[in-house]
C-alpha cells in the first residue's frame, strides 16, 4: 500500500490550474475573500493556538536545520528518492522553496477578520480522502524541478528563500493574516510551517534532532487532529509517531497495539 502524504501536496494542490478554477467558483460565496469551512470539515477538533514567539522560535530553528541538512546532499543525492512516494529529494527542495515564497507573500495580507483556522484545523483540508490533484501536482513539481540546470541550483534558490524567511520572521508581529483562502493568527500560521518544514526535512532522509521544537509542534498537531494523546515515547518512538501520523508509513502490528484507540484515527494528513 502506498503511503498517504500530508503537506507534500498542500502548496501544489492549492495552486494547480484545476484547484484554481475551483477556488474561483468558491469565491462567489465568500465574504472578503475568505472561504467558509466545507461541510465535510465541520467535525469537532479542539483548538490549538500557538503563540507567535513559540512558533517563530520553532521555525527559525527548523530553518537552521534545513541549512545543515542541505549541506549534506550533493547533486546525485538530490536525484535519489525522498520520503515522499514518487518524489525525489530535489522535488522536496523545490516544493519547500515554492511554499515558503507563498508564505512570505501573505505577511502583508493583514485583515481585521477573526481567524477561521488555527494551528490544527488548518490541516483539515488535507485529511485522508479530502481530495486533491496529487498526480497533477507531482507532474507540475517534476516540470518545475527540471528547469534547473543542476539540482544544486534548486538548493541555492531555496537557501535565498530561507534567508528571506528568516529575516521576515524577525519583524513579524501578532496579527491575523489571509492565507490560502482562510484567516489565521500569525502564531498559528507560522506553527503550521514549522510542522511542514520538519516533516519535509524527514523526507530528505538525513539525521535530525527528534527533540526539536518543530517536532514537538508536529506531535501536538497530530494528537489534536486525532483527538487523543500519543503513548509514552518508549512505546512508539518520536520519529515513528510523526511518520505514522503524517501518513508516511503504516504502523506495525506492535505499534498499532501501543497506540491504542488513536491508531484508528491515523494518519491525520492525506
Amino acid at each position: 500500500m502506498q503511503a498517504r502524504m500530508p503537506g507534500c501536496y498542500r502548496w501544489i494542490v492549492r495552486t494547480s490550474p484545476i484547484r484554481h478554477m475551483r477556488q474561483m467558483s468558491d469565491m462567489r460565496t465568500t465574504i472578503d475573500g475568505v472561504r467558509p469551512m466545507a461541510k465535510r470539515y465541520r467535525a469537532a477538533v479542539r483548538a490549538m493556538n500557538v503563540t507567535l514567539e513559540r512558533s517563530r522560535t520553532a521555525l527559525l530553528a527548523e530553518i537552521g536545520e534545513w541549512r545543515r541538512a542541505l549541506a549534506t546532499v550533493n547533486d546525485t543525492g538530490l536525484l535519489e528518492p525522498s520520503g515522499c512516494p514518487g518524489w525525489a529529494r530535489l522535488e522536496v527542495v523545490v516544493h519547500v522553496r515554492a511554499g515558503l515564497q507563498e508564505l512570505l507573500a501573505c505577511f502583508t495580507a493583514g485583515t481585521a477578520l477573526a481567524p477561521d483556522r488555527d494551528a490544527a484545523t488548518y490541516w483539515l483540508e488535507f485529511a485522508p480522502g479530502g481530495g486533491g490533484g496529487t498526480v497533477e501536482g507531482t507532474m507540475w513539481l517534476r516540470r518545475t524541478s527540471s528547469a534547473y540546470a543542476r539540482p544544486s541550483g534548486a538548493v541555492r534558490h531555496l537557501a535565498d528563500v530561507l534567508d528571506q524567511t528568516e529575516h521576515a520572521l524577525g519583524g513579524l508581529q501578532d496579527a491575523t493574516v489571509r492565507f490560502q483562502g482562510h484567516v489565521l493568527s500569525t502564531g498559528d500560521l507560522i506553527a503550521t510551517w514549522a510542522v511542514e518544514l520538519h516533516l519535509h526535512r524527514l523526507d530528505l532522509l538525513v539525521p535530525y534532532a527528534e527533540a526539536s521544537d518543530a517536532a514537538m509542534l508536529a506531535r501536538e498537531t497530530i494528537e489534536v487532529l486525532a483527538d487523543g494523546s500519543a503513548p509514552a515515547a518508549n512505546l512508539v518512538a518520536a520519529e515513528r509517531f510523526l511518520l505514522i501520523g503524517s501518513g508516511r508509513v503504516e504502523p506495525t502490528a506492535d505499534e498499532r497495539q501501543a497506540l491504542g484507540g488513536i491508531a484508528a484515527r491515523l494518519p491525520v494528513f492525506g
Side-chain angles (χ1 to χ4, degrees), residues 27-78:
M27 291 290 281
R28 298 191 187 101
T29 58
T30 63
I31 298 177
D32 202 19
V34 179
R35 290 183 288 109
M37 185 181 293
K39 288 184 179 180
R40 67 174 181 272
Y41 300 129
R42 291 184 187 274
V45 174
R46 70 180 188 270
M48 179 180 174
N49 297 119
V50 182
T51 66
L52 175 58
E53 199 52 44
R54 183 188 179 195
S55 60
R56 174 166 37 209
T57 298
L59 185 53
L60 286 172
E62 195 60 35
I63 287 172
E65 291 300 322
W66 261 86
R67 290 191 180 108
R68 284 185 279 275
L70 292 173
T72 69
V73 293
N74 56 23
D75 279 344
T76 302
L78 287 165

Side-chain angles (χ1 to χ4, degrees), residues 7 10-12 14 55 58-60 62-63 66 95-104 106-107 119 122-123 126 158 161 165 169 179-180 184-201 214 217 221:
R10 82 169 182 173
W11 185 84
I12 290 175
R14 287 286 191 182
S55 60
L59 185 53
L60 286 172
E62 195 60 35
I63 287 172
W66 261 86
H95 169 70
V96 168
R97 184 269 302 166
L100 286 177
Q101 286 181 313
E102 185 188 22
L103 174 67
L104 286 170
C106 91
F107 285 171
Y122 168 81
W123 296 99
F126 307 95
L158 174 56
V161 176
T165 305
L169 285 171
F179 185 70
Q180 296 179 342
L184 297 92
S185 72
T186 48
D188 288 346
L189 176 61
I190 297 306
T192 72
W193 279 94
V195 171
E196 174 111 351
L197 259 67
H198 184 73
L199 293 176
H200 282 315
R201 187 154 56 84
L217 278 174
T221 301

Side-chain angles (χ1 to χ4, degrees), residues 161-183:
V161 176
L162 289 173
D163 290 345
Q164 294 164 17
T165 305
E166 187 175 59
H167 177 75
L169 285 171
L172 193 62
Q173 301 295 317
D174 277 310
T176 52
V177 294
R178 305 168 190 271
F179 185 70
Q180 296 179 342
H182 291 293
V183 175

Side-chain angles (χ1 to χ4, degrees), residues 119-156:
T121 57
Y122 168 81
W123 296 99
L124 289 175
E125 292 190 47
F126 307 95
T134 57
V135 173
E136 294 86 351
T138 298
M139 294 303 295
W140 177 91
L141 190 54
R142 288 181 178 175
R143 289 191 295 270
T144 303
S145 299
S146 69
Y148 292 95
R150 297 184 68 87
S152 53
V155 171
R156 289 192 295 272

